[in-house]
Amino acid sequence: MIWEQIVKCLPELDGKTPTMVLSADLTVSDCKPQIGYAALCEDTFYVIEQERERARYPLSAMREFHAVSGIGEVALECLVDGRLTVLCRGDLSHQNEYATIAKRINHYIDTGLFDPDYDKSYNRFCPKCGRKYRAGSHICMHCVDKKHIFSRMWEIANPYKWYLLLSVILFFVITGMNMIGPYLNRLLVDEFITPMASNRFTEFSLVILSMFALRLLTKLVSWGRSMALIHAGNRIIVRLREMVFDKVQMLSISKISKRTAGEIMQRVTGDTAEIQQFIVHRLANILEQLLILVGISIMLFIEDWRLALMIILPIPICSIFMRMFWRYTHRIYHKQWITNAKASTILHDIFSGIRVVKAFGMEQYEMERYDKVTYQEAQISAKNERFYAIFRPLVDFFMRIGEYFLLVYVGNAILGGDMTLGEMAQFSSYVSMLYSGPVFLIANIQRMLTRIYTSVVKVFDLLDEDVDIGDKDEAKDIDIVGQISFDNVHFGYDDATEVLKGITLDIQPGEFIGIVGKSGVGKSTLINLVMRLYEVEDGAIRIDGEDIRDLSQECLRSQIGVVLQETFLFSGSIYDNIAYAKPDATRDEIIAASKIAGAHEFIMKLPDGYNTKVGEKGHTLSGGERQRVSIARALLHNPRILILDEATASLDTETEKQIQDALQKLSKNRTTLAIAHRLSTLRNATRLIVLDKGKIAEVGTHDELVRKQGIYYGLVMAQRQMSKMTHDN
């Protein structure tokens, strides 16, 4: 659409294919609203303002595109022949778009490659209704195909279809039995309760016994039906939870980080529990009452079609009335779901960071924060319940109008001799069954379906998330030697920024590579890409000549040992945490790894030794102790490639020296990538890689780089000065 408008302004571009287009709804000079556009086509950047060409620039003269945000506006700027130039402006709704385009054009200038799907990366709105997608989602709750969603639920339930079919058959049987009950009641009144029914005690007893047997048999069949549904429902939910959990495991860190922990937990447990409740309990009630509605309707029309119309006619009218509230009820329960997920997230954060909470004395603050969101949830829930408290009685009242028609019609028929008391009792039983069951269901089915629909959509929203890091169909499994090469690697955590820019590097097997640089230059990003926790945007990372995207993730990560800057221990014993890297390891292997890591000595001083429980995230251990357990876990892995991300950051100087000596021995014949805050710990590295502004600025040994007196030299001098100041104090 934008390109068509540009072609109208510049007919010379007709028939040409643009590299990228964007809108510019503010003037460059004074930020006034306007109809404007910009486009890159055939290495020329065109700018249209007030539907007329304002400027055109050859791409060969343009460098360093970037988006600059101001007050209520964002500008796309670049260097044109070395001079900073504002190309176009837009309101803040274009902020992400401009930043993304700036990144893409810079990459295009460097590599000559342009992503044809760049516009999809910042598309956050539903193309049908224009509503904004929720973070981490590309499904519009208002436009999703409901039939498709529930057909997919059936695909999951298909392996258990025979249990479901059995339960449906039993529903029909139960409905038939329920239809017999009022007839026996009619027989009892007409044949035995009236004065004409004297001296027939035996027959009377048989009718009573039949009613008892019918009730007992109905309960037994209902029990069988419930068992079939419970069997199917529980297995369906187990399978669904496995699918959701497996999908979360398959997602990259980038995808997972777009959702809160509370939201993911809500989908894995809360939403699947809602689906389970629906299948096992609510679905049974819906099927049963719908069959009763159909059965009673047939019986009433057979007996007297006029009476049937009087009783049933209000039902569809009220159903249409309730349908009008579908969108509203869906919206209010969706809002309640979001608030519930938010409360779960806050609770998860508080419990996970309880030590920080207590250390800063923030207990009262956190209580108030949690109370605030739970109060919001309670308010929304109360509002929803108030709505139904008012709405449902009104619907129920109008639906029960048929009862009054019944009383008038039946009373007149009895007085005229056209209907017996038994027939009246039969009709009354049917009407009672109708209004106490199916009518009540119709008044509430919207609510039940809205709740289950919201949960089902939330679950499939997660299941439908694209797996951005996956194994190829013919992924390779190799024995890694340890040669690593970076070939013009580009990467950014989002579409607007680029962390690594054209990294090219060859690392030979057995080398000890130190990665240094200021904070935020991409050191940890580099090793995350080696582990394939994120996918490179352009270029390639190869291990032993194989692109890591061609290797299975299990093959890659099973031969990489990692000690991360953020030490994480699982709740359990120290022994279990070390053995996590190799579950079949012997006790001797675990103790040997602990000794090399300098952990054995402090472990043996603990009351239960290796069986000591570390608590959640290892909170019962000190930072240095957790780090040594983490190092032991990595050593037990016996990796071909060892990655150390500030592995000794939490250790005292003496312990650090012990571990550095151990790591020096361990890294022999292994490729090691190490990031260290203390540059002195990397003095013996084979090579040091200095990163600056996302690029490799310097490469060499410690002595070579110090003699060069460049970026690394500045870092060393700054750290020495800091150490001197600390020592003097």
Side-chain angles (χ1 to χ4, degrees), residues 505 507 513-517 526 687-691 696 698-700 705:
L505 176 68
I507 301 173
I513 302 297
I515 305 173
V516 300
L526 196 67
R687 282 185 294 166
L688 295 174
I689 309 300
V690 182
L691 296 180
I696 295 179
E698 297 174 357
V699 179
L705 295 181

Side-chain angles (χ1 to χ4, degrees), residues 40 42-46 56-63 65 78-81 109:
L40 177 62
E42 294 187 349
D43 289 345
T44 301
F45 194 92
Y46 299 89
R56 65 173 67 185
Y57 308 96
L59 190 62
S60 58
M62 308 174 80
R63 290 290 183 275
F65 282 75
C78 79
L79 295 176
V80 179
D81 291 326
I109 292 173

Side-chain angles (χ1 to χ4, degrees), residues 78-264:
C78 79
L79 295 176
V80 179
D81 291 326
R83 186 175 182 179
L84 185 63
T85 303
V86 178
L87 301 175
C88 57
R89 295 186 191 274
D91 60 39
L92 287 178
S93 66
H94 300 289
Q95 187 172 15
N96 195 48
E97 177 185 4
Y98 279 27
T100 300
I101 287 174
K103 175 184 174 182
R104 297 300 187 191
I105 296 180
N106 287 331
H107 180 66
Y108 179 57
I109 292 173
D110 293 339
T111 66
L113 300 174
F114 199 94
D115 182 3
D117 296 327
Y118 77 95
D119 58 324
K120 295 179 181 178
S121 60
Y122 58 80
N123 183 15
R124 299 289 183 263
F125 299 90
C126 173
K128 290 185 178 181
C129 66
R131 290 183 174 90
K132 189 175 182 179
Y133 292 128
R134 292 190 65 245
S137 173
H138 283 83
I139 291 181
C140 178
M141 293 289 293
H142 300 272
C143 303
V144 66
D145 187 347
K146 303 174 182 63
K147 293 181 180 178
H148 177 65
I149 288 291
F150 283 106
S151 68
R152 291 182 61 188
M153 273 299 300
W154 171 248
E155 291 176 4
I156 296 175
N158 191 55
Y160 315 102
K161 60 185 177 183
W162 297 115
Y163 289 98
L164 295 174
L165 179 61
L166 174 61
S167 64
V168 171
I169 292 173
L170 294 179
F171 275 122
F172 280 98
V173 173
I174 293 170
T175 302
M177 292 178 177
N178 288 329
M179 294 298 101
I180 297 174
Y183 175 77
L184 292 176
N185 195 29
R186 168 185 173 178
L187 187 65
L188 185 68
V189 172
D190 283 344
E191 298 295 330
F192 301 102
I193 302 300
T194 61
M196 297 174 57
S198 59
N199 301 321
R200 299 173 63 187
F201 179 77
T202 302
E203 296 177 27
F204 174 77
S205 301
L206 287 174
V207 173
I208 297 297
L209 186 61
S210 299
M211 296 176 70
F212 173 78
L214 180 66
R215 177 62 62 88
L216 179 61
L217 186 59
T218 302
K219 293 297 181 183
L220 290 174
V221 175
S222 297
W223 176 82
R225 176 209 63 193
S226 298
M227 290 299 101
L229 269 180
I230 290 172
H231 181 86
N234 288 341
R235 280 158 179 75
I236 290 170
I237 295 310
V238 168
R239 186 183 177 201
L240 188 60
R241 282 183 175 170
E242 288 175 349
M243 291 172 63
V244 175
F245 182 78
D246 291 347
K247 186 57 180 277
V248 173
Q249 295 286 81
M250 293 169 62
L251 294 178
S252 67
I253 293 178
S254 176
K255 291 282 188 179
I256 294 175
S257 62
K258 293 179 180 178
R259 306 174 189 271
T260 65
E263 183 180 348
I264 294 176

Side-chain angles (χ1 to χ4, degrees), residues 52 106 127 191 217 276 280 332 363 374 401 536 603 620 714:
R52 294 181 181 181
N106 287 331
E191 298 295 330
L217 186 59
Q276 181 184 32
V280 176
I332 62 178
E363 293 92 340
T374 52
I401 288 178
V536 298
I603 292 175
T620 60

Side-chain angles (χ1 to χ4, degrees), residues 297-321:
S297 300
I298 293 173
M299 293 292 293
L300 289 175
F301 274 102
I302 290 175
E303 293 291 339
D304 191 324
W305 65 270
R306 291 181 296 272
L307 180 61
L309 286 177
M310 291 179 187
I311 296 172
I312 297 174
L313 190 60
I315 297 176
I317 296 175
C318 291
S319 299
I320 295 172
F321 180 64

